[in-house]
Amino acid sequence: MEERIRRLNQFLIGWIGYFQLVETPSFLQKLDAWVKRRLRMIRWKEWKKPKTRQRKLVSLGARIGKAWEWANTRKAYWRIAKSPILHKTLDSAYWKSQGLKSLMERYDTLRQT
């Protein structure tokens, strides 16, 4: 995941540097949200077994009952990536701690200078 985030940061920062004059920050917010949802989906795939999923969700702050419920779901990866439990546990602060750079933060920085 570290390598994936490093390469993604490299691409996104370069991309926003090129398109910094865009006048539609709402598009950037949607793109930022899509990237985070995709990363949540990848992280969910990495936790293959329900036991691992439950353990990881509990370690990230979810209640044990809800973690067990979502860990044993049969819903598809993309649908789970939008679930409330993953939004709560794998939120923006989590991805920031993993090293992911936000498009909107970079856009705001470039627009102020």
Side-chain angles (χ1 to χ4, degrees):
M1 185 59 89
E2 295 84 22
E3 177 66 20
R4 184 177 287 126
I5 288 176
R6 186 190 64 75
R7 291 179 62 201
L8 186 60
N9 282 339
Q10 196 175 27
F11 177 78
L12 291 176
I13 297 305
W15 188 84
I16 197 65
Y18 184 77
F19 289 104
Q20 67 184 339
L21 298 177
V22 71
E23 293 293 335
T24 55
S26 61
F27 173 74
L28 295 176
Q29 288 174 338
K30 289 178 186 176
L31 186 59
D32 214 11
W34 184 88
V35 167
K36 288 176 185 165
R37 182 177 178 187
R38 182 73 180 172
L39 287 173
R40 282 193 302 269
M41 185 192 82
I42 292 167
R43 183 64 81 188
W44 190 253
K45 276 185 174 184
E46 286 177 351
W47 303 337
K48 293 182 180 191
K49 297 182 179 182
K51 192 174 186 179
T52 305
R53 290 176 178 167
Q54 181 185 6
R55 184 172 31 91
K56 295 286 188 174
L57 287 173
V58 169
S59 71
L60 289 169
R63 290 182 294 140
I64 293 174
K66 279 293 178 188
W68 183 85
E69 180 182 330
W70 282 99
N72 289 298
T73 187
R74 292 177 179 255
K75 293 180 181 174
Y77 295 116
W78 187 245
R79 187 165 177 193
I80 292 293
K82 200 173 182 176
S83 68
I85 195 158
L86 285 186
H87 265 283
K88 180 183 165 195
T89 54
L90 302 178
D91 58 352
S92 295
Y94 173 81
W95 292 115
K96 194 170 188 172
S97 73
Q98 295 293 311
L100 182 68
K101 299 193 186 312
S102 171
L103 279 175
M104 282 307 296
E105 288 177 12
R106 183 69 178 159
Y107 174 75
D108 291 337
T109 303
L110 291 173
R111 294 292 284 190
Q112 290 175 0
T113 58

